[in-house]
């Protein structure tokens, strides 16, 4: 470890200020290829030689190649493939005999694999769940061919609708089948007894009857069918079974099984349930209104991290004590216990690459890591009492040792005014010109005001005049007369010398169609030629937009453009209903023409 | 699929013997819930990519039968904004296990997010049949009723939710209903209970503080805002509100220091720059004030309060032409406020347009029946124009409103205004100072002119109460706000000074209303 610390500390130095840091950077390997959760990390003296090893239930990159890894110092000691993804790892003492080497338990799927001396020792499988008797009955009938597949399907669907006990996979699969496939499926599967199997979601240990450090412990399992099981450490029989309203995700236990214990289970429905020894059902319930991401007990306080980027402290009766906001979302949590100083604190690994250590509400320390932290574990490693194991999202492994002189002091974090208070306000500066203008306004304010008012009135007058003129001569493209409410919109396309002119004419009246309209183009005949300068408009149905297309040939080769006037007229009237002036573009196709 | 899994299983050395019985026939069905725990762990860590990969694998293996995988996939889809798709998946879940209230709750939630509140309520009721004692259902039904504007039903449901389990969110919603109904007192009751239940929730504390501020109970407002700042020194709502209260007390430097925090967190907040501008105004840094107010105006061009303040500052700077523009813009946005017309009249008077000034005064007097200042200013203008009868009428009108105000409460009048009124009274030969007996007694050493008199006088700051300012600033610095100092003295401060009080009086309503609006979203 010492050698490693000298060679690897360079990379770690960037993140933590070496001199003031409470931690020694023992090891950092960004390519350690360890992908795991805090629940799959365990530290234990597996060989009884006083050298603590790190047990990692590794999910493998992308959850593809699960492996059991045992690390000694910075190197992997042994590595063996696992049959399925590990959900949790724990070390515990199975019996009183010497040598007192702890066993390793690995929960995976429906089984717990127990190792002693790193050799396979025992496999515990969860008992099968009792199948629904009605379902069982139906399949028995199918076996004897007393029921046809269609009736079977109907009956099974009926069970699914109402029954308390869910159907087995076999039945569910059957219900998905098409009519043609049913027969084959039934004949293939009818002889098999239906089964319901559940899986382990979480696991922890609970002292059996002594509170000592090295006392025999039971395994506590949380299962997918919303149950908690306590296993006997020697016989692996189920000592106790408790049911929860939801699936447990994290467990936290205190006390001894034979005396009195408290079990806190954070569940998938966002609640934390607290059970006691003699309760088959939860005694207290903490509703978080968000998903819990970690559950740690510090002395008598339950610390829950929630997806709302906050840590909450609760009493063991479920009363809320405090809340601390985090700067980023919490990814994992674990307990930090510095036995020599009697300190217990919560570590929270955050998405922004920080590990924050809290004692109740007080922030004790922040460790910055180069990547988002996926799992944390603190304890004795090798021969060093206070070691922190961190794994990061990219598969990196960081080992830090707490300096022996380090003392965590409360209020080491942010207290006092927030740093932003010391920053200057960015008040926009004003220029010399502004000041000059201000002075001028003071001197000649009245004159400025009068000039402005006069100009404003003139502007309004001109606008009004122009508007009246437009209305009088129907120069505007929208006609609002009661008889012919029309809207005209013209588009010119092309580069020239030939352009396409499209008039979009719309009858905006609610119900009345318009008949007998004419369109007339007025243009300079020297510059432009149109195939038809005058044509009739078809009947205009209200609401529809009629595109009327015509081609315009530019005759001039001097690059001049002109205005084409479009007039919409009513048959028999000389004054146009509306008109539009089209600014023709300059023909760019002269060379080609 | 099954074979594959078995193949990978065999090399496992751990329990080769115990594995054997599992190597039955090849037709073994995979356990549907095998990887639910992993999906859940990825989901709560917000590692959605990994989560989706596991879900895909799981769904392939189980041929779409794994309910939890579909459920989480729907949750992720909803987070990504694909509400309709998520709704369909939740409905699939509900088909797979019809007895599960959770699925129905999520269906309802998606419906709610799609704005189909009635449908959501129906589904929630369906879910409530499966799970009677769920506060979440009650709460959400309540929220749906709020959107349907059926407030009494919403209240019932929210109270039910509180009865089942108390949550901050439910309190907030209940308070919101009362605010929507305009019942501030009830809202305060609710928020009080909420603060009792979770004393460290800064949002609740801030809201309660703002409500007290609206009701003018400054002591309690400051107490709650201070508490909010103790727990979260960067809570910008609380800082803005507390800052505006400090401004009211003329404690501009402390307010500015506090605003720095907000300027860092929310640099584009119009109320913030408005308040900063008025702080500078109070400190007589007029150019800085105009800069800040113009920024506020740039950020919120349709906020008449900012325009009002801009007009006021420009009047002070004797830039009457600019003041006219800002004030007329403000009037366009808020045509119902007498004081705006009065300020406009002052600007017009200075722009030598007495005709329009008179019209503006008349409008101001029409809109604001008991503001003696309007009448006084109007009277002065008329007097200067030589219209003694008109001036006299306005003078009497002023006396009437002064009496009204005096009778209605213990209002005190600005000494400067009193002085001006007495001068005018003498000039009009109606001199009886009876109306003013009370304020004259404690007339302060301020010399302020009413708007029509010499402009130089207008540049007086409002920070009159120095001792109070000190008390407030030290209190704020320690962030433990003594309940006595701030509040009680606040009540003695005359709120109706002529020109200057407006900036501060203005500063906080502008900001407080912005807060309320924000909250109601």
């Amino acid at each position: 470890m010492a050698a490693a610390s000298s060679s690897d500390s360079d990379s770690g130095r960037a993140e933590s200020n070496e001199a003031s840091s409470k931690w020694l950077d023992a090891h950092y390997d960004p390519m350690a290829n360890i992908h795991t959760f805090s629940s799959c990390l365990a530290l234990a003296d597996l060989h009884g030689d006083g050298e603590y090893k790190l047990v990692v239930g590794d999910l493998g990159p992308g959850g593809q190649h699960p492996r059991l890894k045992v690390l000694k110092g910075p190197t992997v000691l042994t590595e063996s493939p696992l049959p399925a993804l590990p959900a949790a790892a724990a070390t515990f003492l199975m019996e009183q005999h010497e040598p007192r080497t702890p066993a390793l338990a690995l929960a995976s799927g429906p089984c717990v694999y127990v190792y002693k001396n790193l050799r396979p020792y025992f496999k515990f499988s969860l008992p099968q769940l009792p199948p629904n008797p009605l379902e069982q009955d139906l399949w028995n009938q199918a076996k004897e061919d007393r029921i046809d597949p269609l009736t079977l399907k109907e009956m099974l669907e009926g069970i699914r609708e109402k029954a308390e006990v869910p159907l087995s996979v076999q039945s569910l699969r059957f219900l998905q089948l098409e009519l043609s496939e049913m027969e084959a499926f039934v004949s293939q599967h009818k002889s098999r007894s239906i089964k319901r199997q559940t899986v382990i979601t979480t696991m922890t240990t609970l002292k059996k009857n002594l509170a000592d450090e090295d006392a025999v412990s039971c395994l506590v399992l949380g299962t997918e069918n919303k149950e908690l099981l306590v296993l006997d450490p020697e016989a692996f029989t189920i000592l106790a079974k408790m049911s929860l309203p939801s699936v447990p995700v994290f467990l936290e236990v205190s006390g001894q099984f034979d005396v009195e214990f408290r079990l806190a289970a954070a569940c998938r429905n966002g609640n934390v349930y607290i059970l006691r020894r003699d309760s088959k059902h939860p005694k207290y319930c903490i509703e978080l209104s968000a998903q819990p991401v970690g559950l740690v007990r510090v002395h008598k306080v339950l610390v829950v991290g929630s997806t709302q980027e906050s840590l909450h402290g609760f009493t063991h009766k479920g009363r809320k004590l405090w809340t601390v906001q985090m700067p980023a979302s919490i990814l994992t949590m674990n307990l930090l216990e510095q036995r020599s100083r009697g300190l217990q604190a919560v570590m929270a690994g955050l998405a922004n690459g920080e590990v924050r250590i809290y004692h109740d509400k007080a922030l004790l320390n922040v460790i910055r890591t180069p990547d988002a932290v996926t799992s944390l574990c603190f304890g004795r490693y090798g021969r060093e009492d206070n070691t922190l194991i961190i794994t990061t999202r990219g598969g990196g492994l960081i080992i830090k040792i707490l300096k022996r002189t380090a003392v965590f002091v409360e209020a080491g974090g942010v207290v006092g005014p927030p740093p932003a208070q010391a920053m200057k306000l960015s008040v926009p500066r004003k220029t010399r010109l502004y000041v000059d203008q201000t002075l001028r306004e003071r001197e000649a304010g009245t004159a400025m005001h009068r000039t402005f008012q006069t100009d404003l009135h003139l502007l309004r007058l001109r606008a009004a005049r122009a508007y009246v003129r437009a209305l009088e001569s129907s120069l505007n493209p929208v006609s609002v007369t009661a008889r012919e409410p029309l809207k005209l919109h013209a588009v010119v396309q092309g580069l020239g010398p030939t352009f396409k002119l499209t008039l979009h004419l719309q009858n905006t009246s609610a119900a009345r169609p318009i008949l007998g309209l004419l369109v007339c183009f007025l243009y300079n005949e020297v510059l432009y030629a149109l195939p038809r300068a005058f044509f009739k408009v078809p009947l205009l149905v209200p609401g529809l937009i009629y595109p009327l297309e015509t081609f315009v040939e530019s005759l001039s080769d001097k690059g001049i453009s002109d205005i084409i006037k479009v007039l919409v007229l009513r048959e028999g009237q000389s004054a146009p209903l509306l008109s539009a002036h089209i600014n023709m573009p300059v023909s760019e196709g002269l060379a080609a023409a | 699929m099954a074979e594959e899994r078995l193949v990978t299983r065999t090399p496992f050395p751990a329990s080769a013997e115990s594995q054997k019985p599992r190597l039955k026939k090849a037709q073994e069905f995979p356990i549907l819930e095998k990887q639910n725990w992993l999906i859940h762990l990825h989901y709560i860590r917000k590692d959605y990519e990994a989560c989706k990969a596991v879900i895909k694998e799981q769904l392939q293996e189980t041929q779409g039968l794994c309910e939890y995988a579909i459920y989480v996939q729907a949750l992720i889809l909803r987070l990504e904004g694909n509400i309709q798709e998520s709704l369909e998946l939740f409905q699939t879940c509900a088909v797979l296990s019809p007895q599960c209230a959770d699925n129905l709750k999520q269906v309802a939630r998606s419906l709610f997010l799609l704005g189909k509140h009635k449908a959501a309520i129906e589904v929630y009721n369906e879910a409530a049949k499966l799970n009677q004692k769920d506060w979440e259902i009650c709460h959400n039904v309540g929220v749906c009723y709020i959107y349907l504007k059926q407030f009494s039903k919403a209240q019932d449901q929210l109270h039910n939710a509180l009865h089942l389990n108390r949550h901050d969110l439910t309190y907030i919603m209940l308070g919101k209903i009362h605010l929507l109904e305009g019942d501030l007192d009830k809202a305060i009751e609710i928020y009080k209970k909420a603060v009792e239940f979770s004393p460290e929730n800064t949002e609740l504390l801030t809201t309660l503080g703002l409500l007290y501020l609206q009701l003018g109970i400054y002591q309690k407002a400051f107490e709650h805002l201070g508490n909010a700042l103790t727990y979260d020194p960067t809570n910008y709502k609380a800082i803005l509100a507390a800052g505006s209260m400090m401004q009211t007390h003329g404690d501009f430097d402390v307010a500015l220091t506090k605003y720095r925090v907000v300027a860092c967190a929310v640099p584009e907040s119009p109320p913030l720059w408005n308040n900063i501008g008025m702080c500078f105004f109070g400190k007589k840094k007029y150019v800085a004030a105009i800069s800040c107010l113009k920024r506020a105006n740039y950020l919120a061009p349709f906020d008449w309060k900012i325009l009002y303040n801009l007009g006021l500052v420009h009047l002070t700077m004797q830039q009457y032409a600019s003041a006219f523009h800002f004030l007329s813009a403000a009037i366009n946005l808020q045509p119902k406020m007498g004081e705006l017309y009065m300020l406009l009249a002052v600007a017009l008077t200075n722009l030598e347009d007495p005709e329009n000034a008179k019209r503006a005064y008349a409008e101001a007097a029409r809109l604001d029946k008991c503001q003696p200042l309007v009448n006084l200013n109007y009277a002065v203008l008329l007097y200067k124009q030589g219209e003694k009868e008109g001036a006299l009428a306005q003078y009497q009108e002023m006396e009437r409103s002064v009496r009204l105000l005096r009778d209605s409460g213990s209002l005190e009048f600005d000494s400067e205004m009193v002085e001006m009124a007495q001068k005018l009274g003498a000039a009009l030969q109606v001199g009886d100072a009876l109306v003013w007996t009370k304020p004259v007694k404690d007339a302060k050493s301020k010399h302020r002119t009413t708007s029509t008199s010499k402009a130089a006088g207008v540049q007086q700051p409002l920070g009159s109460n120095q001792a109070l300012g000190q008390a407030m600033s030290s209190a704020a610095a320690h962030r433990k706000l003594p309940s006595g100092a701030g509040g009680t003295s606040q009540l003695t401060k005359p709120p109706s000074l002529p020109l200057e009080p407006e900036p501060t009086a203005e500063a906080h309503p502008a900001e407080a209303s912005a807060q309320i609006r924000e909250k109601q979203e």
Side-chain angles (χ1 to χ4, degrees), chain B residues 66-219:
Chain B
C66 179
E67 181 198 337
Y68 189 71
I70 302 174
Y71 182 83
V72 175
Q73 181 153 46
L75 285 176
I76 295 175
L77 277 174
R78 192 161 71 190
L79 283 174
E80 288 169 346
N82 303 322
I83 301 173
Q84 189 64 43
E85 289 168 46
S86 86
L87 175 62
E88 282 156 22
L89 286 181
F90 281 129
Q91 279 162 342
T92 319
C93 287
V95 169
L96 280 176
S97 80
Q99 293 296 308
C100 179
D102 260 345
N103 291 331
L104 287 176
K105 267 157 67 177
Q106 297 295 353
V107 169
R109 171 108 190 119
S110 284
L111 283 171
F112 167 77
L113 290 174
L114 286 170
K116 298 172 181 169
H117 300 123
K118 271 187 194 154
I121 290 177
E122 276 169 30
V123 180
Y124 273 127
N125 288 338
E126 223 27 59
K129 280 179 202 157
L130 298 171
N131 187 353
Q132 297 281 343
K133 298 205 165 170
D134 194 340
W135 74 274
E136 201 186 331
I137 294 177
C138 292
H139 173 90
N140 287 342
V141 171
V143 175
C144 286
Y145 276 125
I146 293 181
Y147 282 96
L148 291 172
K149 305 248 180 290
Q150 303 180 1
F151 294 133
S152 61
K153 277 188 181 173
Q155 277 186 36
D156 290 347
Q157 291 290 348
L158 291 174
H159 279 296
N160 279 348
L162 281 180
H163 189 69
L164 289 171
N165 208 329
R166 292 193 289 171
H167 281 263
D168 297 354
L169 205 59
T170 315
Y171 282 116
I172 290 175
M173 283 319 212
L174 255 180
K176 219 186 206 180
I177 294 180
H178 290 306
L179 286 180
L180 285 174
E181 290 177 332
D183 195 341
L184 279 180
D185 292 321
K186 272 192 180 165
I188 284 185
E189 277 305 304
I190 294 291
Y191 280 110
K192 259 184 177 168
K193 275 188 207 156
V195 166
E196 241 167 63
F197 168 64
S198 76
E200 295 189 16
N201 187 325
T202 50
E203 194 187 334
L204 290 173
L205 285 169
T206 313
T207 315
L208 186 56
L210 284 170
L211 287 176
Y212 277 127
L213 197 62
Q214 271 189 324
L215 286 183
I217 307 172
Y218 298 104
Q219 180 184 337

Side-chain angles (χ1 to χ4, degrees), chain A residues 37 86 115 120 161 173 176 188 195 224 287 307 361 374 421 423 428 438 441-442 446 450 452-453, chain B residues 12 14 24 28 36-37 45-46 99 135 165 167 200 260 291 317 319 321-322 324-325 351-352:
Chain A
F37 300 107
Y115 294 74
E161 288 293 322
R173 196 53 76 78
Q176 280 202 318
Q188 192 180 0
K195 288 195 288 193
E224 187 71 36
E287 292 192 352
T307 45
K361 286 184 71 173
T374 52
Q421 196 165 312
M423 278 159 73
T438 312
E441 191 190 331
R442 273 194 206 183
T446 315
R450 285 200 181 134
F452 177 81
Q453 289 298 332
Chain B
F12 179 56
K24 277 187 240 159
E28 187 90 26
N36 285 6
W37 63 274
R45 288 161 164 237
K46 301 180 185 170
Q99 293 296 308
W135 74 274
N165 208 329
H167 281 263
E200 295 189 16
R260 284 179 186 173
S291 301
M317 290 287 279
Q319 290 174 264
S322 306
F324 171 81
H325 285 295
L351 289 168
E352 293 162 40

